[in-house]
Amino acid sequence: MGRPWEELGDWQRSLRGQFPIITGRPDLAYLDSAATSQKPRAVLDAVQEYLVTGNANAGRGTYPWANATTATVERTRERVKAFLGDPEPARSSVHFVSGTTEGLRRVALDWLAGLLEDGDEIVVPFADHQANLSPWLEARDALERCGVGVRVAEMPRQAGSGDYDTGALAALAGPRTRFVALTHVHHVYGGDMNVRRVREAVGPDAVICLDAAQSVGHLPVSVAELDVDFVVFSGHKALALPGSGAVWARQARGPRFTPGGWDGTPNTAGIVSLAAALDWLDAAGVERIDRWCAGLAARLTEALGVLPAFEVLGCQLSLAEDSAVPRRSSIVAFRHERIDSGDLGFILYSRGFMVRSDSHCQAGAEPRDGSVRVSLHVYNTPEEIDALVAVLREL
């Protein structure tokens, strides 16, 4: 199999041309898609058409615009299920939220209390995004105030790589392990966290909630293969508008998930954008997008590997051409041995590269743990990677 830019170059150029913000500024390289992705013309057009021809509230009103908006919201729920490969869409449910952070908090605060009893245990990641740690600690504290004691165990990790240690997890999990929170693709290290192996480690009854913020829209996500109970993701990282996201709930283990509180006005424009983004991604081919971005990440890590002043974070095995573990999907984080990561971010922007340079909201991280993160999507090119490496080589 050849390199993706050799086989998919024409395909990628046709897609890159559909992003007005990218083609409008050829002097800049946007390398921060893990923070938020750019939007293709099809998404922008869908939102504009909705707002100028049929904008109305959903679930309220009986006139045609309101009915059409309500139907669009319901169709998008089914669209999310299909995009995730839901094998039982009649049983599952989709709930729209502002993004992954809100979605995880809804699972934690509106649902988890109904699952847990005094003495139960939950396993959560202590070194992933803060949004996939703090809600579970909030839920534990709320239960403690009601006299329900829940043990929070740290998800075991492999030394040196940061991947989940499913062998240690199997030894840790017991009959009181009721819930496990996972991350699909790590937002700093860029690797698949071996979530396919977690179900076997924790058994058939434990509920698994998956933070898919860095996987949905970047690589194929199949809830049938992963056997998880919740998938939570942000639309704005998957080519849709900010303020859009979803919680997919299998509704098979534990009480039925229903977000608490009054069901207010949904973000209808965001939901329209999400449906359009999923359509665009399906037409483009998520498998191809994954292959393109993984190829660019490999191109960058291989170049960094020969620059002695730089350290690439995460599993070092994933940097090797003959890697026995999955290559980085679309995220590469690195440090310079002498230049502060924040300063390096400013230097790179002065040369036309937009990257993130801080601790990336990683739970437990200190400011001194900051790094430069390059995160890619289908609009990025090998030429941008080579130009970035040329600047880093100068340093």
Side-chain angles (χ1 to χ4, degrees):
M1 183 177 293
R3 294 177 181 272
W5 40 88
E6 296 169 350
E7 297 182 2
L8 302 176
D10 291 341
W11 165 85
Q12 189 272 340
R13 282 187 287 273
S14 71
L15 296 184
R16 176 181 167 90
Q18 298 177 40
F19 290 82
I21 196 171
I22 298 296
T23 57
R25 291 299 306 268
D27 56 318
L28 296 174
Y30 183 76
L31 302 173
D32 195 22
S33 293
T36 195
S37 63
Q38 300 302 340
K39 322 304 175 192
R41 172 60 67 188
V43 171
L44 302 175
D45 288 348
V47 173
Q48 183 177 27
E49 181 180 2
Y50 166 71
L51 291 176
V52 301
T53 65
N55 177 44
N57 211 329
R60 298 156 177 82
T62 57
Y63 53 92
W65 288 2
N67 291 338
T69 299
T70 300
T72 295
V73 171
E74 295 309 311
R75 281 198 305 271
T76 306
R77 296 187 204 278
E78 300 307 310
R79 187 71 188 83
V80 170
K81 294 179 185 181
F83 191 78
L84 297 178
D86 187 344
E88 298 182 275
R91 178 166 69 175
S92 64
S93 62
V94 170
H95 308 268
F96 295 114
V97 289
S98 63
T100 306
T101 298
E102 184 196 350
L104 293 171
R105 292 193 79 242
R106 294 279 64 82
V107 175
L109 302 181
D110 295 343
W111 178 84
L112 191 57
L115 175 75
L116 300 176
E117 299 176 352
D118 191 59
D120 281 344
E121 174 186 76
I122 64 176
V123 181
V124 301
F126 277 61
D128 295 352
H129 198 287
Q130 186 69 41
N132 202 16
L133 173 62
S134 59
W136 318 120
L137 301 182
E138 285 185 70
R140 176 202 60 188
D141 295 344
L143 286 167
E144 283 185 353
R145 290 193 291 270
C146 297
V148 178
V150 173
R151 178 175 180 265
V152 176
E154 180 175 356
M155 171 65 69
R157 291 178 179 268
Q158 298 176 7
S161 72
D163 291 341
Y164 296 147
D165 188 335
T166 52
L169 177 61
L172 168 69
R176 302 304 299 270
T177 303
R178 305 294 306 283
F179 178 86
V180 180
L182 303 173
T183 299
H184 196 182
V185 172
H186 199 278
H187 72 294
V188 179
Y189 307 133
D192 185 314
M193 300 297 288
N194 290 324
V195 298
R196 287 177 173 81
R197 304 176 184 174
V198 170
R199 172 59 65 194
E200 182 179 354
V202 301
D205 298 326
V207 174
I208 298 177
C209 178
L210 186 66
D211 172 354
Q214 301 299 347
S215 58
V216 169
H218 297 262
L219 51 83
V221 178
S222 168
V223 295
E225 293 180 9
L226 297 174
D227 193 12
V228 296
D229 299 277
F230 293 96
V231 172
V232 187
F233 68 94
S234 299
H236 74 94
K237 299 179 190 289
L239 310 183
L241 293 186
S244 62
V247 176
W248 171 88
R250 185 182 293 276
Q251 306 290 20
R253 300 176 178 93
R256 185 169 183 81
F257 172 69
T258 304
W262 176 254
D263 188 11
T265 298
N267 177 6
T268 53
I271 292 169
V272 167
S273 79
L274 181 58
L278 298 183
D279 288 344
W280 191 93
L281 288 163
D282 268 345
V286 181
E287 296 85 355
R288 284 185 166 190
I289 292 172
D290 179 31
R291 185 161 172 248
W292 180 264
C293 294
L296 294 182
R299 191 178 181 115
L300 176 57
T301 55
E302 287 164 7
L304 288 170
V306 299
L307 299 180
F310 289 90
E311 172 199 7
V312 179
L313 307 187
C315 178
Q316 299 303 298
L317 289 176
S318 68
L319 308 182
E321 187 67 37
D322 57 350
S323 172
V325 300
R327 301 296 296 265
R328 312 298 172 98
S329 59
S330 60
I331 297 172
V332 180
F334 57 89
R335 297 190 184 106
H336 191 279
E337 64 183 15
R338 295 183 302 278
I339 303 175
D340 176 78
S341 295
D343 293 339
L344 185 52
F346 283 114
I347 293 170
L348 291 175
Y349 179 71
S350 73
R351 303 293 294 273
F353 302 97
M354 291 179 281
V355 298
R356 183 163 174 177
S357 53
D358 54 25
S359 58
H360 316 297
C361 301
Q362 186 173 8
E366 301 290 341
R368 64 178 180 273
D369 299 323
S371 62
V372 171
R373 184 181 70 183
V374 171
S375 51
L376 307 158
H377 217 299
V378 70
Y379 35 74
N380 293 120
T381 66
E383 292 76 18
E384 290 174 336
I385 298 300
D386 294 345
L388 172 66
V389 171
V391 172
L392 297 176
R393 188 177 293 116
E394 292 177 15
L395 301 177

